[in-house]
Amino acid sequence: MPEQQTVACVVGARPNFPKMASVLAGLAEIASSLRPVLIHTGQHYDQAMSGSFFDQLGLPTPDVHLDVGSGSHGAQTARVLERFEAWLLEAEPRPAATVVVGDVNSTVACALASVKLGIPAIHVEAGLRSFDRTMPEEINRVLTDAICELLLVSEPSGVVNLRQEGRPAHTIALVGNVMIDALERQLAEARACEQARKMGFDAGSYALWTVHRPANVDDGKALAALVDLVTAVAGKLPVILPTHPRTRQRLERHGMWSKLAEASGVHVSEPFGYREFLSLQATAGVVITDSGGIQEETTVLGVPCLTLRANTERPITIDEGTNALIGPVGGDGIEDALLLHVDAILAGQYKAGRRPDLWDGRAGVRIARAIDAFLVDR
Ligand code: UD1
């Protein structure tokens, strides 16, 4: 009997977990002969940022843990590169391919280690472009797509971008959105957990707010603007603000944490688990964020999303979904723009949006078939 082929499936940071859970579910469903080996780089490591996601998403315990932890971009990326390469060199059997998802430092580092050893890398969520190279994720996306041999894309803009970058058509497949697979699998349980009601809020009566991008939280001016923005919106409806460790550290360092935490109408908390956060999104009146995945989830939930960025690599959430770009927190006129949108939403005068094609909960299966076919053809 031929030896079973393995594929190294890499996760590192919080947004990777639901995506990889969907890829693994797809591989299990098509019952291919491929055996996934799950690698956790350890880019995120807290129970709140990592552990609870494994439990709730049904991800298996990782086969391999690289324990890289936090660090500067260079240091963190280098640690992943070095440790993943060392693992690949020893792995028995040698993986037939490496699957990476999203745009975090672990994504680019593992793709690079893999292809340098002649093991093809496959990118799930390929082709997304903000065209903003000040974003670390944009650099990770561009580099990852340049070296992966199979590019699996979540929305049509990704195909256009990859073709414009000269990637051959046969390496690209529009497969849909794995983030939405995870949402579809978890939504009933998420709704049943009624997280907002447990916190004393009625459906539709609150804003859910997340912010963690370097451009929005890494300097004092942006943080001061953020505190003003949150306080202004909290004057209109209560704001639930689960706080990413990066945001909290920066606020504390600049002496602004207690001002925000004690502001009237503002309810700060630790990051929520996947299911609790999905529950809060599903019944929010408005979601305000600088995350990528949340722009997609709100589009499918039909909940208004106001994005605190100047650009998005997920334009379909604006063209077809419920997303609107407001601008970065420190930008001119942002408070007026944000309050104008919040008023429109509260008055019921905001677009309803629709679900994009192929965001149907079946992307993982299409991806599994594409990976299987790619390896058979080699
Ligand atoms: C990373 C990703 C970003 C993604 C985000 C989701 C990159 C370049 N960025 O950014 O794309 O949207 O994850 O959360 O890969 N920390 C903890 N516990 C943890 C992990 C981090 O306390 O489990 C703290 C550390 O002090 C760290 C800081 O949070 O310095 C930031 O973490 P890091 O992984 O560097 O980047 P994120 O901002 O989380």
Side-chain angles (χ1 to χ4, degrees), residues 71-149:
S72 67
H73 282 272
Q76 186 177 62
T77 309
R79 276 204 295 274
V80 178
L81 186 62
E82 191 171 9
R83 293 184 192 182
F84 187 56
E85 179 187 62
W87 178 78
L88 284 174
L89 284 168
E90 297 288 320
E92 196 53 57
R94 178 182 159 96
T98 296
V99 180
V100 295
V101 294
D103 55 14
V104 302
N105 288 340
S106 301
T107 309
V108 64
C110 291
L112 183 56
S114 186
V115 298
K116 286 278 186 86
L117 292 175
I119 299 169
I122 296 168
H123 188 199
V124 173
E125 207 184 72
L128 298 182
R129 296 289 180 269
S130 65
F131 302 101
D132 174 1
R133 295 223 176 169
T134 66
M135 285 180 76
E137 294 82 4
E138 181 74 353
I139 305 295
N140 292 341
R141 290 188 281 261
V142 168
L143 295 178
T144 302
D145 287 338
I147 57 177
C148 282
E149 280 186 44

Side-chain angles (χ1 to χ4, degrees), residues 238-304:
V239 172
I240 301 176
L241 185 77
T243 317
H244 187 284
R246 170 187 209 99
T247 308
R248 179 157 186 168
Q249 282 162 16
R250 298 297 202 273
L251 283 163
E252 284 174 346
R253 197 177 302 162
H254 286 84
M256 292 183 216
W257 172 251
S258 43
K259 182 176 177 199
L260 181 65
E262 287 155 22
S264 166
V266 180
H267 304 265
V268 295
S269 75
E270 294 294 306
F272 290 99
Y274 177 83
R275 198 172 293 150
E276 291 75 19
F277 190 77
L278 183 55
S279 174
L280 285 171
Q281 281 193 84
T283 56
V286 54
V287 174
I288 301 171
T289 192
D290 61 3
S291 151
I294 293 172
Q295 296 170 50
E296 299 177 334
E297 290 168 337
T298 45
T299 273
V300 167
L301 294 167
V303 171

Side-chain angles (χ1 to χ4, degrees), residues 4-224:
Q4 199 178 34
Q5 284 190 311
T6 63
V7 276
C9 295
V10 176
V11 290
R14 185 169 60 174
N16 295 163
F17 304 136
K19 295 171 194 172
M20 190 54 81
S22 305
V23 173
L24 296 182
L27 283 168
E29 186 174 330
I30 69 161
S32 82
S33 60
L34 297 174
R35 185 169 67 81
V37 178
L38 185 61
I39 322 289
H40 189 346
T41 67
Q43 178 173 342
H44 284 172
Y45 41 84
D46 286 350
Q47 179 64 14
M49 300 294 285
S50 173
S52 74
F53 284 73
F54 273 74
D55 302 340
Q56 293 191 348
L57 292 162
L59 275 166
T61 304
D63 298 282
V64 181
H65 214 302
L66 302 179
D67 287 318
V68 299
S70 301
S72 67
H73 282 272
Q76 186 177 62
T77 309
R79 276 204 295 274
V80 178
L81 186 62
E82 191 171 9
R83 293 184 192 182
F84 187 56
E85 179 187 62
W87 178 78
L88 284 174
L89 284 168
E90 297 288 320
E92 196 53 57
R94 178 182 159 96
T98 296
V99 180
V100 295
V101 294
D103 55 14
V104 302
N105 288 340
S106 301
T107 309
V108 64
C110 291
L112 183 56
S114 186
V115 298
K116 286 278 186 86
L117 292 175
I119 299 169
I122 296 168
H123 188 199
V124 173
E125 207 184 72
L128 298 182
R129 296 289 180 269
S130 65
F131 302 101
D132 174 1
R133 295 223 176 169
T134 66
M135 285 180 76
E137 294 82 4
E138 181 74 353
I139 305 295
N140 292 341
R141 290 188 281 261
V142 168
L143 295 178
T144 302
D145 287 338
I147 57 177
C148 282
E149 280 186 44
L150 179 61
L151 301 162
L152 301 170
V153 181
S154 56
E155 64 165 84
S157 72
V159 176
V160 174
N161 296 333
L162 291 167
R163 294 293 287 140
Q164 274 170 357
E165 289 172 17
R167 301 312 314 274
H170 75 270
T171 63
I172 303 168
L174 182 63
V175 291
N177 191 329
V178 276
M179 203 68 170
I180 305 309
D181 288 25
L183 180 151
E184 291 295 348
R185 279 197 307 278
Q186 301 284 337
L187 188 57
E189 277 189 70
R191 286 194 188 281
C193 91
E194 296 191 313
Q195 182 64 27
R197 200 184 49 75
K198 282 183 192 150
M199 296 171 68
F201 298 105
D202 293 333
S205 74
Y206 61 92
L208 177 63
W209 195 313
T210 79
V211 57
H212 74 281
R213 298 254 165 235
N216 282 333
V217 303
D218 274 7
D219 72 74
K221 186 170 159 279
L223 286 170

